[in-house]
């Protein structure tokens, strides 16, 4: 019943990320430069790996595997092939990934082919603002019944 509202909130969150990331990137580039950004990235990964190495994970799954990994994968394909709704969902998201991912990835080179980096930032911020406004609208409206 509230799926449309929840999707609107999710879209709004992605819109905020799309809106804020270009602004943060420009601020970081102006403040610490590319070398500083790379150092920050390496330090962040080192902290994440260190935390993972220090945390002791409990043995919550003390069972042994009953079938091989290949058998589990085959069972997953068989199960998804027999469930019509799940198969439709998988095909839908596969089509979205195949056709929309290149579209989103190629916006920046497209704008750079005829204009400057500032225009790329304007397009990204405008896209983020549109996603935020669309998410707010869908969050209140909930979408068609």
């Amino acid at each position: 019943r509230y799926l449309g509202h929840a999707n609107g909130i999710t879209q709004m969150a992605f819109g905020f990320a799309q809106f804020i990331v270009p602004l943060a990137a420009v601020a970081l580039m102006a403040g610490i430069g590319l070398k500083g950004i790379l150092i920050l990235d390496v330090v962040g990964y080192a902290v994440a790996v260190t935390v993972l190495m220090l945390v002791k994970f409990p043995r919550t799954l003390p069972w042994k595997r009953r079938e091989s990994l290949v058998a589990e994968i085959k069972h997953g394909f068989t199960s998804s092939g027999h469930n019509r709704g799940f198969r439709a969902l998988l095909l839908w998201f596969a089509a979205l990934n195949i056709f929309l991912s290149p579209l989103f990835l190629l916006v920046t080179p497209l704008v750079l082919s005829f204009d400057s980096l500032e225009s790329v930032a304007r397009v990204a911020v405008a896209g983020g603002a549109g996603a935020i406004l669309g998410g707010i609208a869908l969050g209140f409206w909930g979408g068609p019944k």
Side-chain angles (χ1 to χ4, degrees):
R1 174 174 154 190
Y2 296 108
L3 181 62
H5 301 280
N7 281 334
I9 300 302
T10 302
Q11 178 181 338
M12 186 176 60
F14 285 118
F16 273 118
Q18 187 179 355
F19 185 77
I20 292 171
V21 165
L23 300 175
V26 168
L28 282 173
M29 193 68 156
I32 60 176
L34 185 59
K35 185 177 179 181
I37 292 171
L38 291 175
I39 290 171
L40 198 64
D41 196 30
V42 169
V43 168
Y45 278 112
V47 167
V49 169
T50 304
V51 168
L52 281 175
M53 288 175 23
L54 294 176
V55 171
K56 301 239 187 273
F57 292 99
R59 287 236 178 247
T60 57
L61 299 173
W63 49 271
K64 290 187 177 181
R65 192 181 289 267
R66 291 185 202 150
E67 57 188 356
S68 69
L69 180 64
V70 174
E72 286 185 15
I73 292 171
K74 285 167 63 174
H75 180 69
F77 276 117
T78 304
S79 296
S80 63
H82 291 301
N83 187 333
R84 182 175 173 246
F86 187 63
R87 185 177 59 241
L89 180 82
L90 287 175
L91 292 174
W92 172 255
F93 282 110
L96 279 179
N97 285 332
I98 289 170
F99 295 115
L100 284 182
S101 294
L103 173 75
F104 290 132
L105 289 173
L106 294 175
V107 167
T108 299
L110 173 68
V111 175
L112 281 176
S113 71
F114 61 85
D115 213 341
S116 66
L117 192 57
E118 291 83 18
S119 294
V120 172
R122 278 190 222 106
V123 168
V125 168
I132 291 169
L133 292 175
I136 290 171
L138 191 59
F140 283 115
W141 171 44
K145 300 294 178 213

